[in-house]
Amino acid sequence: MLTKFIFKNYRSFLDEQTLSLEASHDRHLAENLTDVSTDLLPNNAGILRNITIFGGNEAGKTNLIKALEYMKRMVLLSPSLPVAHENVPFALAEDASMLDTHLEAEIIENGSFYRYGFVLRNGEVTKEWLFRRAERLTPIFRRENESLKITGMSHSEASMLIPSSSVLFASTAENLRLPITAYIRDLKSFFRKLTFVYEPKREYLELYLTSEQYITRAVDIIRKADMNFADMKLIRMGSYIDAELSANVWSQNGDIVKKRKLRLFQDREFLGKGSMHLICLLPVLFRALDEGGTVVINDLGSVLHVTLASYLQNFFSSTDVNPSGAQMIATSSMSMLMDQELRRDQIYLVSRDGMGRSSLYRLSDQKNVRKSDVYSRKYLNGDYSMQLPQKSL
C-alpha cells in the first residue's frame, strides 16, 4: 500500500512534489478509505483506496507516473540494466542536469511501515535509505556515497557490501542473507505488485488464466457496460493468445438466430477502442485486488464513457470487493470524472508554469473548496489554478 510518494528533478518536475494517499480527517465517503493502525502511521485518518490526477495536455500527468515507474525500475532492475543512466532530470533550467534527482516512497507492506528512497546525480546513486516503523521510525540501512551503515552489522562488514555507484543496495540485498533481508523482501514485494498501464497489451490477457473467476467477473462487467457482447473466452495456441467475444445476431422478429464471434486483437478494426481498453485492463485490476497491489493507469477515460470510467475509478472503494486495501492511481483529462463520487482529497491537479515547471497539488489543500461544488465546472473556470513561485528551489 502506497501512503506517499515524494520526488524532485524528474522530467517536467523540478521542485520537490508530494503525492500523498493519506486521507484528510473529513469522513465524507468514508468507504473510499482503508483504515490503518496509528502504530504504523501516527495520527492518520486512513489511506485512500484511489486517487485521480487531472491536468491539461503537457501539464505533467504522465511524467508524474513515469517518476514512480522509474523508481520501480531502479529497485528491481538496477543490477542488470543501466537504469541509473536512464534518469531524465528537468530539461528547461540551466544546470538542472547537475542537480539531485530525489525519489522516495512511504509504504505499508506485510504489516510494516517503510520509508525508502534514493538520490541520483549524473547516473550515480549518491544516497539511499530504508527506515521501518516499529514503535518508532528506525533506520534499516543508510548509504551515502562510499559509506554504508546496516543495522546489526559492523561498519567493516557493511562496507564490503556496497554495490557499484549505479546499483541500489536494496536491489542486491535480498540475496545476501542479512539480518535485514525480510525488510528488503517487503520493499521489493511492494514494487513487484506495483503495475503501470499505459495502453492495451496482449500480455494482459494472460492474467485471465491466473483465476477461474476472472473471465466470469469480466463478462459480468462487460454486460453491465452494455457493450453488446454476450460472452467471452480465451483462445490460446502456443504463444498466441486472444480474447474471443460473442455477440448475438438478431432476426427482424427479435429472435437470436446465431452468434457472431470476434477476436479482440485479430479483429480490432471491427471493435471500438473502449472494448480493447476495458478487456485488457480488467484482469490487471482483478489481480491487484487479490494481491493488495497498486495499479497506476495513464489517461483513464480517454476512450471510455464517463460512466464506465467512473465505475473503474471507484472500483476499489467497496470493502467487499477490495478487502486487501488495493489501490488505484489514475491520471485523466476528463474533468467530468471529478464529480463522480470522489472526495476532495482524492483529486489531484497538475499544472505547468511559463518556465515549463510542473506542479502537483491536492484539491483539499485549496481554499474555499466545498463538498457541494461542481468541481469540474470550477476547475474549467480556473478557480483551482495555482500560482508557482518565480524562482525554483
Side-chain angles (χ1 to χ4, degrees):
M1 182 185 303
L2 180 67
T3 67
K4 192 176 291 184
F5 176 53
I6 302 167
F7 60 105
K8 177 180 180 181
N9 193 26
Y10 188 80
R11 291 185 176 265
S12 62
F13 292 91
L14 175 61
D15 304 312
E16 183 173 287
Q17 310 291 323
T18 299
L19 181 72
S20 176
L21 283 89
E22 293 186 39
S24 67
H25 288 271
D26 183 357
R27 298 309 297 174
H28 178 59
L29 295 173
E31 64 272 18
N32 292 359
L33 310 178
T34 296
D35 292 330
V36 172
S37 168
T38 54
D39 292 336
L40 292 178
L41 202 59
N43 304 316
N44 83 88
I47 301 300
L48 296 165
R49 293 171 179 261
N50 68 291
I51 60 172
T52 306
I53 303 155
F54 297 91
N57 294 334
E58 302 300 322
K61 303 185 299 298
T62 301
N63 289 338
L64 187 162
I65 65 175
K66 281 185 177 293
L68 183 57
E69 184 180 33
Y70 179 68
M71 186 176 191
K72 172 182 176 174
R73 285 176 51 80
M74 277 293 297
V75 171
L76 299 182
L77 300 176
S78 67
S80 57
L81 294 174
V83 186
H85 296 282
E86 297 173 6
N87 180 34
V88 185
F90 184 74
L92 301 180
E94 189 176 13
D95 297 329
S97 62
M98 303 299 294
L99 300 177
D100 289 342
T101 292
H102 177 112
L103 298 167
E104 181 176 55
E106 295 183 6
I107 66 171
I108 295 173
E109 183 69 20
N110 195 25
S112 293
F113 172 88
Y114 296 99
R115 177 186 294 165
Y116 172 74
F118 54 87
V119 172
L120 292 170
R121 181 184 292 181
N122 292 330
E124 296 187 347
V125 180
T126 60
K127 294 181 182 179
E128 186 184 3
W129 58 92
L130 175 64
F131 287 76
R132 177 178 178 267
R133 178 173 286 120
E135 294 182 357
R136 58 187 178 87
L137 198 63
T138 57
I140 302 302
F141 74 81
R142 284 180 287 189
R143 171 188 182 185
E144 186 164 358
N145 296 320
E146 299 302 317
S147 173
L148 177 64
K149 297 179 180 179
I150 303 174
T151 297
M153 296 185 66
S154 68
H155 178 72
S156 59
E157 290 175 320
S159 63
M160 297 175 63
L161 303 176
I162 301 174
S164 71
S165 60
S166 63
V167 176
L168 294 176
F169 176 67
S171 302
T172 61
E174 185 177 12
N175 300 319
L176 297 177
R177 297 183 180 180
L178 304 175
I180 64 170
T181 296
Y183 308 139
I184 300 295
R185 286 175 179 165
D186 285 348
L187 176 69
K188 297 184 78 171
S189 173
F190 166 79
F191 281 104
R192 289 187 181 107
K193 293 186 293 184
L194 178 61
T195 306
F196 295 83
V197 179
Y198 293 95
E199 58 186 17
K201 293 182 180 180
R202 191 188 294 268
E203 66 193 59
Y204 295 152
L205 299 180
E206 296 276 358
L207 298 177
Y208 279 114
L209 302 175
T210 60
S211 172
E212 295 179 356
Q213 297 299 315
Y214 285 3
I215 289 282
T216 302
R217 292 164 68 181
V219 169
D220 182 59
I221 292 171
I222 291 168
R223 289 172 178 168
K224 288 179 179 177
D226 195 22
M227 300 178 74
N228 295 320
F229 297 117
D231 206 352
M232 180 178 78
K233 67 177 182 179
L234 289 185
I235 303 296
R236 185 167 188 172
M237 294 177 290
S239 60
Y240 172 84
I241 189 169
D242 210 337
E244 186 176 83
L245 302 162
S246 297
N248 294 325
V249 178
W250 304 83
S251 70
Q252 294 184 0
N253 296 325
D255 299 321
I256 299 174
V257 294
K258 61 179 180 178
K259 299 281 188 181
R260 170 81 184 274
K261 298 184 184 298
L262 295 169
R263 293 190 181 180
L264 190 66
F265 282 88
Q266 179 178 300
D267 301 316
R268 65 174 67 194
E269 68 272 19
F270 298 106
L271 298 169
K273 292 182 179 180
S275 300
M276 176 78 73
H277 277 254
L278 180 64
I279 292 168
C280 288
L281 177 59
L282 285 176
V284 179
L285 301 185
F286 295 155
R287 183 181 63 173
L289 290 165
D290 286 350
E291 295 182 348
T294 300
V295 177
V296 184
I297 303 172
N298 189 48
D299 208 10
L300 178 67
S302 61
V303 296
L304 298 176
H305 187 275
V306 64
T307 303
L308 182 55
S310 175
Y311 175 81
L312 297 180
Q313 188 181 46
N314 294 286
F315 198 47
F316 289 26
S317 296
S318 169
T319 303
D320 293 335
V321 176
N322 183 16
S324 302
Q327 295 170 300
M328 186 173 81
I329 299 170
T331 68
S332 182
S333 300
M334 186 184 290
S335 59
M336 291 174 62
L337 284 175
M338 292 182 181
D339 307 320
Q340 306 294 318
E341 297 298 316
L342 288 181
R343 295 159 48 100
R344 289 170 291 183
D345 54 9
Q346 289 179 275
I347 298 173
Y348 270 91
L349 305 174
V350 177
S351 64
R352 202 162 181 173
D353 71 0
M355 297 170 62
R357 300 171 302 170
S358 294
S359 181
L360 174 70
Y361 50 105
R362 186 149 61 167
L363 190 60
S364 58
D365 295 332
Q366 296 288 94
K367 295 180 179 179
N368 301 318
V369 179
R370 298 178 175 85
K371 298 175 189 175
S372 58
D373 287 348
V374 180
Y375 301 139
S376 61
R377 183 183 301 168
K378 298 195 74 172
Y379 169 68
L380 293 174
N381 285 341
D383 293 348
Y384 300 147
S385 61
M386 179 180 181
Q387 295 298 318
L388 299 179
Q390 289 303 305
K391 292 183 179 181
S392 64
L393 297 177

